[in-house]
Amino acid sequence: MTPLQLLSRPMIGAFFVNAGVGTLSNPEPPTEMAAPFLDKLREKVPLPGDDVTLVRVNAAVQVVAGALLTTGRAPRTAALALAASLLPTTLAGHPFWEQEDPGQRAAQRIQFGKNAAIMGGLLAVVSDANHQTRAHMLRSRAKARKRVKASKAPLPR
C-alpha cells in the first residue's frame, strides 16, 4: 500500500464507520428523511415495508465496509459497497431539486455535491489498477526467483 493509501483509506473509512454507528444508534431521524424517497422507490422496486430496517441495513453496510477500508482489507470491494450505500443516502437525504427555499436548495446542493465527491473518491479506490499490477508484479518476481534457483541447481551426475 502506498503512503497516500495508508492515509486516505482510513480517513474515508472512519467517516463511514462513524456515520453508520450514529445511524444504528439513532435510526429515526434518517428514517424520516428517507421515507419519501423509499415510498417513491417502492413504486418501481419491491422493497420491504419497514423503513427503519432498510436504514439500519444501510448503516451496517457502512460500518462493516468502512472498517474494511480503514484496515486495508478488501479495499476495492469495501469502497464499492460504500459507494453503493452512499447513493440512496444522497438521493434520500439531499434532494436539492425539491427545495423551494433558495437557501435550503443551496445547502442541499452542497451536501449532494460533497457526497458525490466522496463517491468519486471511493470509485477511484475501486478502479485502483495499481493494486492489481502490484499483485501481478509480486507473483512474477516469485516465479522469476524460482526459475533462477532452478537454473543454479547442480547438474545430476
Side-chain angles (χ1 to χ4, degrees):
M1 195 177 324
T2 68
L4 225 67
Q5 290 168 329
L6 282 171
L7 181 65
S8 63
R9 289 178 182 177
M11 290 171 71
I12 296 172
F15 170 81
F16 283 98
V17 170
N18 185 42
V21 167
T23 299
L24 286 171
S25 64
N26 187 17
E28 287 77 19
T31 300
E32 285 178 33
M33 195 180 301
F37 172 78
L38 291 172
D39 289 342
K40 287 179 189 174
L41 189 59
R42 278 190 187 93
E43 294 172 6
K44 298 177 182 179
V45 178
L47 290 175
D50 184 12
D51 290 352
V52 174
T53 299
L54 291 172
V55 167
R56 282 188 168 145
V57 166
N58 193 50
V61 167
Q62 291 182 352
V63 170
V64 171
L68 288 170
L69 186 61
T70 297
T71 60
R73 297 185 181 202
R76 297 172 76 200
T77 303
L80 185 60
L82 290 170
S85 78
L86 192 56
L87 186 60
T89 300
T90 302
L91 294 172
H94 307 295
F96 65 89
W97 54 91
E98 293 179 357
Q99 298 297 320
E100 299 288 329
D101 178 72
Q104 284 295 319
R105 180 181 289 258
Q108 290 301 325
R109 186 179 293 125
I110 288 169
Q111 293 302 314
F112 188 96
K114 172 198 57 108
N115 284 9
I118 292 170
M119 268 190 266
L122 290 166
L123 293 176
V125 173
V126 172
S127 69
D128 181 13
N130 190 29
H131 175 75
Q132 289 178 333
T133 305
R134 197 167 38 249
H136 176 70
M137 181 181 69
L138 292 173
R139 285 192 300 272
S140 295
R141 283 184 185 168
K143 287 178 184 177
R145 281 191 207 107
K146 285 180 181 178
R147 283 194 302 269
V148 168
K149 283 182 183 179
S151 68
K152 291 182 180 180
L155 295 175
R157 294 184 185 217

